Amino acid sequence: MLCENVLYTQKTLAERYGISIAALQRWYPYAGIVKPRKRGGYFDAAAVEIADIFYVAIKIRRLTCKEYLQQVIPAGGLDAYLQKVNDVSLYDFLTKHISNEEKNNLIVQAVIKRIERNEAYKPTSTTVAGVA
């Protein structure tokens, strides 16, 4: 089971993605990641979530940083971009359209679990048709 309550520094976040700290720092302007204010500070959960989506976009969907900035962000995010360009949701893309090796990637699994958790908490419609 993945522990979602992990605190990440630049070093540990770079290790999570298998990249150098310098490469992670190059992600910031493209992904919209906010660096911790204090030296040695920790990234908040929102920054990790953004970084995970950016990782999926560039490593799994194989978009360039420039494509992410110019196409994914204006589309409203990776899910909206995939629906517009590929007619598939991010969840379906990650669960049905990538290799098993990619599906087993730690980051891909975290994004899938996050989507499933968010879907589970969406309010259901309580309106019943035909009731007066």
Side-chain angles (χ1 to χ4, degrees):
M1 170 120 187
L2 294 173
C3 181
E4 295 289 327
N5 295 326
V6 176
L7 296 175
Y8 290 98
T9 62
Q10 283 190 100
K11 180 181 178 189
T12 57
L13 194 60
E15 289 171 355
R16 175 179 170 90
Y17 303 117
I19 61 175
S20 68
I21 293 172
L24 178 67
Q25 290 172 342
R26 286 191 298 271
W27 283 16
Y28 297 163
Y30 294 103
I33 300 168
V34 177
K35 179 182 169 185
R37 291 180 188 225
K38 290 188 341 185
R39 182 179 177 149
Y42 298 101
F43 288 92
D44 63 17
V48 175
E49 186 173 332
I50 290 167
D52 284 356
I53 295 295
F54 186 74
Y55 174 90
V56 167
I58 64 171
K59 297 289 186 182
I60 306 299
R61 180 56 177 77
R62 293 169 183 80
L63 295 169
T64 66
C65 293
K66 194 176 227 180
E67 288 171 328
Y68 188 86
L69 190 61
Q70 294 175 347
Q71 298 173 23
V72 174
I73 299 298
L78 188 57
D79 186 43
Y81 171 81
L82 289 172
Q83 288 183 30
K84 179 181 174 186
V85 173
N86 299 108
D87 200 28
V88 64
S89 70
L90 176 58
Y91 182 80
D92 284 345
F93 174 73
L94 294 176
T95 58
K96 299 176 183 172
H97 299 284
I98 61 175
S99 71
N100 285 333
E101 183 180 333
E102 290 172 323
K103 286 178 191 173
N104 292 328
N105 179 296
L106 174 73
I107 308 307
V108 170
Q109 287 297 310
V111 172
I112 290 170
K113 285 182 183 1
R114 198 175 295 124
I115 293 169
E116 290 172 344
R117 191 172 51 244
N118 289 342
E119 288 297 315
Y121 288 109
K122 278 190 175 175
T124 57
S125 177
T126 56
T127 308
V128 178
V131 175

